[in-house]
Amino acid sequence: MSHSHSATVADAPPRRAAPMPPRRRNAATRRQHRAAYLFILPFFAVFLTMLVAPLVYAGYLSFFESRLIGGEQFAGLANYTRAFADPNFWGGLGRVALFLVIQVPIMLGLALFLALALDTGRARGSRTIRLLIFMPYAVPAVIATLMWGYLYGPDFGPLAQIARGIGWGTPDFLSPGSILGSMMNIVTWEFIGYNMIIMYAALRAIPMELYEAAEIEGAGQFRIAWSIKIPSIRPAILLTVIFSIIGSFQLFNEPSLLNAIAPDAITNSFTPNYYAYNLAFINRELNYAAAIAFLLGLLIAVVSYVVQLGEQRRERRDRKGLR
């Protein structure tokens, strides 16, 4: 009798909780929404005061010009018109474009190669190697530039001393013809580990079943990397490309610090960012510097959008090809 009663209780369907009255449910939803807004409120407060407000103020300044007689006067688009006819601005943009075309593919290619090599798991001490490659990113950019400035020194630098010791003469890494390449080397050294970690993390998220299926089909490591790994981490690669484009247009620490030991090679308009800084704080042309900064920001947004749009269209073509 007791056994029958236990079976009856076990077989009985679980009791459902009584539905919450609509008024109480709406109150609970409102409390959740208020809590969510409170959590994101600090972010929006910092975002508005530290980013949006300075941007709006800089945009406001770019429509004025300072005159000896009359002070600040509305100038409309005069500062932007002046920027389009400024050879210093275009010269800086040209150097940054050259930097972008040469340095970014080299840096991301090396980062991808290292990430693929570490992902194979065949390298001994891969954790130590990964840490050593990433370590330059932990060095502040100012310290890294000063360190490389010492290494580049034609008189006191160890690279020049070694070159002279083996009879190669004194290489001039700080000459006008080689200073851009020297900066490319510094930035590559600083950020190759950062980009490698992004790609390596994406590689570790690929399902192992894909590798096992490829190995059963007889695919080698190169074929697996080319046909499975690289296509699978394409969003991560795109992310590193966009970060690198933004970083290239923001090149500032390297020219501003190396200018002290290479004044003949680095002018005040070497990069647009450095040019805007010198206009604002050396020449006291704050309004024109704001216009330069806005044009630079607009250019970065357009280039990043074009790269992202191109990648999305390529993905859509690939998906259509698979159907």
Side-chain angles (χ1 to χ4, degrees):
M1 183 65 183
S2 61
H3 175 75
S4 175
H5 176 71
S6 302
T8 304
V9 171
D11 294 339
R15 292 183 178 179
R16 292 184 179 180
M20 188 181 294
R23 184 175 298 176
R24 289 185 59 188
R25 188 166 59 243
N26 291 339
T29 304
R30 282 197 296 271
R31 281 197 299 273
Q32 290 175 352
H33 287 171
R34 279 199 297 269
Y37 285 129
L38 285 175
F39 275 116
I40 62 175
L41 183 62
F43 164 75
F44 277 106
V46 173
F47 180 75
L48 290 174
T49 55
M50 299 296 175
L51 184 66
V52 176
L55 275 177
V56 171
Y57 184 61
Y60 169 78
L61 287 178
S62 68
F63 293 108
F64 288 81
E65 62 181 1
S66 182
R67 295 177 180 172
L68 290 176
I69 301 175
E72 293 284 331
Q73 292 188 358
F74 183 73
L77 297 175
N79 287 320
Y80 293 94
T81 306
R82 178 185 169 188
F84 282 115
D86 189 346
N88 291 328
F89 176 60
W90 289 108
L93 273 183
R95 277 184 284 273
V96 167
L98 188 62
F99 185 96
L100 176 66
V101 170
I102 296 176
Q103 188 268 338
V104 171
I106 292 175
M107 177 182 66
L108 296 185
L110 288 173
L112 178 61
F113 173 79
L114 292 170
L116 290 170
L118 290 174
D119 186 61
T120 59
R122 297 186 176 183
R124 291 185 177 179
S126 61
R127 289 185 180 180
T128 305
I129 295 173
R130 200 164 63 234
L131 179 63
L132 290 174
I133 297 172
F134 181 75
M135 195 175 290
Y137 180 69
V139 178
V142 173
I143 303 298
T145 306
L146 292 175
M147 182 191 74
W148 278 101
Y150 167 73
L151 294 174
Y152 288 152
D155 299 323
F156 49 81
L159 296 178
Q161 293 180 22
I162 292 172
R164 282 196 296 268
I166 57 179
W168 288 358
T170 303
D172 193 356
F173 298 106
L174 302 175
S175 67
S178 58
I179 190 67
L180 192 63
S182 300
M183 291 184 191
M184 292 179 188
N185 178 57
I186 297 174
V187 176
T188 302
W189 181 83
E190 285 179 297
F191 289 96
I192 190 171
Y194 171 78
N195 291 295
M196 182 208 70
I197 288 295
I198 294 176
M199 296 177 189
Y200 180 77
L203 285 170
R204 303 305 293 175
I206 299 175
M208 292 299 294
E209 290 80 6
L210 292 177
Y211 300 150
E212 293 170 359
E215 288 174 356
I216 291 172
E217 294 291 331
Q221 288 297 324
F222 179 80
R223 182 67 176 172
I224 291 174
W226 184 257
S227 300
I228 297 177
K229 292 185 176 181
I230 294 177
S232 299
I233 66 167
R234 194 176 290 167
I237 296 174
L238 176 63
L239 183 69
T240 60
V241 170
I242 292 176
F243 283 170
S244 301
I245 290 172
I246 295 172
S248 298
F249 280 103
Q250 292 179 344
L251 197 65
F252 178 80
N253 287 328
E254 290 76 12
S256 63
L257 293 172
L258 293 178
N259 186 36
I261 56 176
D264 296 332
I266 301 174
T267 62
N268 287 343
S269 59
F270 193 80
T271 64
N273 224 6
Y274 188 49
Y275 185 38
Y277 170 82
N278 284 311
L279 284 172
F281 299 105
I282 305 297
N283 298 353
R284 302 293 181 186
E285 295 183 80
L286 199 60
N287 307 103
Y288 184 46
I292 292 284
F294 253 80
L295 285 176
L296 184 61
L298 183 64
L299 185 62
I300 292 173
V302 169
V303 173
S304 301
Y305 177 73
V306 168
V307 171
Q308 191 170 7
L309 187 65
E311 182 61 22
Q312 288 175 349
R313 287 181 175 176
R314 181 178 174 178
E315 286 181 0
R316 282 199 292 269
R317 282 199 303 269
D318 291 346
R319 282 198 294 269
K320 286 181 181 178
L322 292 174
R323 288 175 185 173

